[in-house]
């Protein structure tokens, strides 16, 4: 016998949703007729396919990662330089940083930033390493340090250290290399995410190809189907975020599409019969009484047999 009676395909376009926001990453779809499971069924939901625009910036004020802080000889404090928002590759980014450093150099220095593809690292030097010192503060929380491969630290170019080089991998995505589809109003107790270690509303984790300003698709060969706690669905809330649920994807009002499959499946869980100490004691007493009666009957039969023999 089949353990399912059918399914519903929900085709969602972001432009059709209500309750959307400026980022274009959330919205609500209200169903004309609720989806309801029978009392002996459970509902499951999965993402069959999706299409997204890779339209968000990898460096922006929104992501808190578009500054660089530096201080040269003669400066009393660090200068915090803001890098123009945008979607950069590593060569475009180091060119932009070079331009900003030179435009704000107290000593009219020329800076050279070089990317080594073999080691995936960036090297920074300037035109006067004998007398002029430059400190880079990569501890600033708004720093672009991860995109050019630096850890939380202060690095110095001076006479004994004529350049600085990345001490971690260059990551032009700044760790925003995948997005998560969430259904906030559909609850479950099956998915746990590492950022909170609590049950989550994630239904799909989608890697993002390194191809800016293009459309990418998600078509898993075997979609993960999430068991839901509720048996009725009257609306579906959708949110597209990065791993941190508070960090929404800024689509720049680009449209995306999502196809959800909602299935009905029979509840195959069997409840265990009630078992208590009281019931167990009663059962043992009954077995004892039956044994006593059987023993008495056997003795009576034996007495009758002996008497007949006499």
């Amino acid at each position: 016998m089949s353990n399912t009676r059918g399914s519903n395909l929900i085709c969602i376009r972001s432009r059709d949703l209500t309750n959307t926001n400026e980022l274009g990453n959330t919205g609500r779809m209200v169903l004309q007729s609720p989806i309801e499971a029978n009392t002996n069924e459970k509902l499951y939901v999965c993402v069959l396919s999706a299409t997204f625009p890779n339209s968000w910036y990898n460096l922006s004020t929104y992501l808190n990662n578009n500054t660089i802080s530096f201080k040269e000889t003669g400066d009393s404090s660090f200068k915090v330089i803001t890098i123009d928002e945008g979607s950069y590759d590593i060569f475009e980014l180091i060119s932009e940083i070079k331009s900003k450093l030179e435009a704000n150099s107290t000593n009219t220095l020329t800076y050279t930033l070089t990317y080594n593809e073999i080691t995936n690292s960036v090297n920074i030097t300037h035109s006067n390493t004998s007398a002029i010192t430059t400190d880079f503060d990569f501890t600033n929380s708004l720093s672009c340090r991860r995109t050019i491969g630096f850890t939380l630290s202060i690095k110095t170019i001076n006479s004994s250290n004529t350049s600085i080089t990345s001490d971690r991998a260059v990551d032009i995505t700044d760790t925003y290399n995948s997005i998560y589809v969430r259904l906030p109003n559909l609850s479950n107790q099956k998915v746990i995410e590492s950022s909170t270690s609590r049950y989550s509303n994630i239904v799909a984790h989608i890697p993002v190809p390194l191809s800016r300003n293009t459309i990418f698709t998600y078509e898993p060969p075997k979609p993960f189907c999430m068991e839901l706690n509720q048996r009725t669905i009257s609306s579906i809330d959708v949110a597209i975020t990065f791993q941190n649920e508070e960090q929404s994807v800024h689509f720049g009002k680009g449209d995306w599409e999502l196809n959800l499959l909602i299935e009905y499946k029979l509840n195959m869980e069997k409840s265990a019969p009630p078992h208590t100490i009281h019931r167990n004691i009663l059962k043992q007493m009954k077995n004892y009484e039956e044994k006593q009666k059987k023993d008495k009957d056997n003795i009576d039969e034996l007495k009758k047999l002996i008497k007949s023999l006499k």
Side-chain angles (χ1 to χ4, degrees), residues 10-153:
I10 312 295
C11 302
I12 297 174
R13 296 191 310 175
S14 60
R15 70 181 70 177
D16 299 327
L17 301 179
T18 61
N19 199 35
T20 55
N21 61 12
E22 285 296 316
L23 306 182
N25 78 303
T26 63
R28 173 175 296 165
M29 179 180 181
V30 179
L31 304 179
Q32 288 190 353
S33 300
I35 295 173
E36 295 184 284
N38 295 328
T39 54
N40 64 335
E41 293 175 325
K42 289 187 175 183
L43 291 177
Y44 289 75
V45 63
C46 66
V47 178
L48 277 186
S49 61
T51 304
F52 296 100
N54 192 344
S55 55
W56 58 89
Y57 296 156
N58 60 348
L59 229 75
S60 67
T61 302
Y62 175 71
L63 293 178
N64 298 319
N65 66 348
N66 68 325
T67 71
I68 189 164
S69 303
F70 77 113
K71 179 176 66 174
E72 295 178 355
T73 298
D75 291 329
S76 59
S77 60
F78 282 96
K79 297 176 182 178
V80 180
I81 308 303
T82 300
I83 302 166
D84 295 341
E85 295 185 325
S87 182
Y88 295 86
D89 66 25
I90 186 59
F91 298 103
E92 293 163 339
L93 178 57
I94 61 176
S95 176
E96 180 69 13
I97 292 174
K98 168 184 168 65
S99 176
K100 295 291 185 181
L101 292 175
E102 291 175 354
N104 291 274
S105 172
T106 299
N107 300 282
T108 62
L109 297 177
T110 298
Y111 284 86
T112 301
L113 286 81
T114 307
Y115 173 65
N116 187 321
E117 190 169 358
I118 295 175
T119 60
N120 192 29
S121 63
V122 168
N123 180 269
I124 306 175
T125 187
H126 62 57
S127 56
N128 189 337
T129 56
S130 61
I132 305 298
T133 293
T134 302
D135 296 320
F136 288 89
D137 182 8
F138 294 119
T139 65
N140 186 327
S141 61
L142 307 181
S143 171
C144 64
R145 65 175 182 83
R146 287 182 297 271
T147 58
I148 56 175
F150 286 91
T151 58
L152 281 166
S153 57

Side-chain angles (χ1 to χ4, degrees), residues 153 170 300 308:
S153 57
V170 167
D300 290 343
S308 64

Side-chain angles (χ1 to χ4, degrees), residues 204-270:
H205 160 246
I206 303 174
V208 177
L210 189 59
S211 53
R212 61 184 174 185
N213 307 323
T214 60
I215 299 296
F216 64 96
T217 59
Y218 173 70
E219 295 179 303
K222 188 177 181 181
F224 165 71
C225 288
M226 182 178 71
E227 178 187 322
L228 300 178
N229 291 337
Q230 65 261 58
R231 296 209 320 270
T232 301
I233 301 174
S234 56
S235 65
I236 300 174
D237 290 340
V238 182
I240 313 299
T241 74
F242 295 109
Q243 185 182 37
N244 182 349
E245 188 173 2
E246 303 301 320
Q247 190 71 65
S248 302
V249 179
H250 196 325
F251 284 105
K253 299 182 180 178
D255 292 321
W256 45 267
E257 298 179 1
L258 193 67
N259 294 316
L260 300 178
L261 182 70
I262 297 179
E263 293 183 297
Y264 309 84
K265 293 185 180 181
L266 291 177
N267 185 357
M268 306 303 289
E269 294 180 0
K270 295 181 179 180

